[in-house]
Amino acid sequence: MNQSKAFHIIKLFTVIMGALHPGEYHELRDSKLGVFLKFKELNFAWASRLVHFMLCFKLDINKKYELWCLVGLEPARFSLIEFEHLTGLNCDYVENLENPRCEVTKEMIAFWQLLGGCIDDGSTTEQIIAACNRCLEWSQDDRMRLGYLAIFTGFIEGRKFSTVTRASLARLVMDLEEFENYPWERVAFKVLMDSLWNKDLTKSYTIDGFVQVIQVCVYYALPKFGAEYGHPVQNKPSPPLLAYNGGKRRRFFKDAIRRQVIPSKDK
C-alpha cells in the first residue's frame, strides 16, 4: 500500500466520521463491518517493509489462495482460515460471490444520482469524499449507505482512490441488512490474494485490498516478534485484528523474522 493510498483512506474515514450523525456512526461501528472502523481508530502504523520481507520469504507453491512464508526453518500459512480468525468477518459460502443478483430500482438510481456516480459503476473514494460534503439533508438510510460504501471502497476492495468498485457488489448497499450480512470475508480475501498473485517484488508495486491484515498476521503468528515490534493493545481485544497498534521500526526486521520460531499448536 503506497503512501497516496494510505492518505486517501485516512481522509475518507475522517470525512465519514464528520458526515454521519453520532448515532449513525455508532450503529455502523457496532455492525458486522464495524471492525474496519475500530481498526481505523487504532491509527495502526503500517509497516510496508515488514510485509515486503514476508512476501520475499514466500514459498513457491501452486495455490493461488494460500500464502506460505518461510519463518526460520518452518513455513507459516496465510489462508482464508487465518483471514477469518483475524478479522471475525462473515465467511459463509454463497454462489456467485462476486456477481450477486441485484435488481436496479428507482430507489437505487436515485441514490447513485445523490452519490454523483453512474448506476453501471460502483463508487470511488473521490466520489464518497465529495458526497460527504453534501449529505446533511439525505435520509438516514442514504447516509448509512454512504458509510457502508466507504468501508467497501476503502478496505474491502482497497484500490486506488480514483478506481471504481464493482457495481455488482456495491449495489447490495440498497438493502442495508443484506449488505451488512454479506460474506465480505471471502470478497476481501479474494481481492487481496488476486492482487498478490505473481506479484513482481523486484519492482515498485501496490497491493489491492486489506493488506494490513498480513502485517497483523505476522504479529499473531510470531508472538515474541509481535510483542517487540507490534505494540500490542492491552487486554488483547477481539478479534485479533484489533490487538496491535503496528509499528514502523525498520531496522533488523528481516533478521528478527529469521530468528523466530513458530509456536507449536500442541502446546
Side-chain angles (χ1 to χ4, degrees), residues 162-229:
S162 59
T163 302
V164 294
T165 58
R166 289 168 288 181
S168 59
L169 290 167
R171 289 172 179 175
L172 293 173
V173 82
M174 297 309 300
D175 185 326
L176 294 173
E177 183 177 356
E178 180 182 7
F179 192 89
E180 179 186 356
N181 289 286
Y182 201 71
W184 294 114
E185 164 83 28
R186 290 181 178 271
V187 177
F189 178 75
K190 189 172 185 301
V191 170
L192 176 60
M193 298 304 282
D194 284 346
S195 181
L196 287 173
W197 183 247
N198 289 333
K199 184 72 69 177
D200 186 351
L201 303 178
T202 65
K203 301 177 181 179
S204 177
Y205 62 92
T206 59
I207 301 173
D208 294 335
F210 188 41
V211 65
Q212 298 96 323
V213 73
I214 296 179
Q215 184 177 338
V216 177
C217 187
V218 176
Y219 298 147
Y220 186 79
L222 307 173
K224 291 183 179 180
F225 182 86
E228 182 176 356
Y229 292 93

Side-chain angles (χ1 to χ4, degrees), residues 55-250:
L55 294 178
C56 289
F57 294 149
K58 181 169 67 74
L59 299 176
D60 187 12
I61 63 171
N62 192 30
K63 292 185 178 181
K64 185 175 183 179
Y65 296 108
E66 286 189 13
L67 178 66
W68 289 83
C69 300
L70 190 63
V71 178
L73 299 176
E74 299 182 59
R77 184 184 70 175
F78 177 73
S79 69
L80 183 64
I81 295 173
E82 286 74 30
F83 196 101
E84 179 186 12
H85 178 69
L86 291 172
T87 65
L89 293 169
N90 181 9
C91 193
D92 291 346
Y93 174 80
V94 295
E95 294 185 359
N96 302 318
L97 175 70
E98 296 179 290
N99 192 30
R101 296 186 63 182
C102 192
E103 181 184 356
V104 176
T105 63
K106 292 181 179 180
E107 184 184 16
M108 182 188 295
I109 294 172
F111 175 72
W112 248 257
Q113 289 175 341
L114 284 176
L115 192 60
C118 173
I119 192 63
D120 294 325
D121 296 325
S123 57
T124 69
T125 300
E126 288 178 314
Q127 288 174 344
I128 294 174
I129 290 174
C132 285
N133 295 320
R134 58 176 188 272
C135 71
L136 183 62
E137 302 300 324
W138 292 13
S139 69
Q140 179 177 339
D141 280 354
D142 281 342
R143 282 195 299 272
M144 290 298 292
R145 290 182 179 111
L146 189 63
Y148 276 124
L149 282 180
I151 292 174
F152 172 61
T153 304
F155 282 118
I156 295 173
E157 291 251 302
R159 306 184 193 277
K160 293 181 179 179
F161 69 96
S162 59
T163 302
V164 294
T165 58
R166 289 168 288 181
S168 59
L169 290 167
R171 289 172 179 175
L172 293 173
V173 82
M174 297 309 300
D175 185 326
L176 294 173
E177 183 177 356
E178 180 182 7
F179 192 89
E180 179 186 356
N181 289 286
Y182 201 71
W184 294 114
E185 164 83 28
R186 290 181 178 271
V187 177
F189 178 75
K190 189 172 185 301
V191 170
L192 176 60
M193 298 304 282
D194 284 346
S195 181
L196 287 173
W197 183 247
N198 289 333
K199 184 72 69 177
D200 186 351
L201 303 178
T202 65
K203 301 177 181 179
S204 177
Y205 62 92
T206 59
I207 301 173
D208 294 335
F210 188 41
V211 65
Q212 298 96 323
V213 73
I214 296 179
Q215 184 177 338
V216 177
C217 187
V218 176
Y219 298 147
Y220 186 79
L222 307 173
K224 291 183 179 180
F225 182 86
E228 182 176 356
Y229 292 93
H231 297 93
V233 177
Q234 292 183 348
N235 301 321
K236 296 183 178 180
S238 181
L241 179 69
L242 306 178
Y244 300 92
N245 285 305
K248 296 185 177 181
R249 181 179 173 186
R250 296 183 175 184

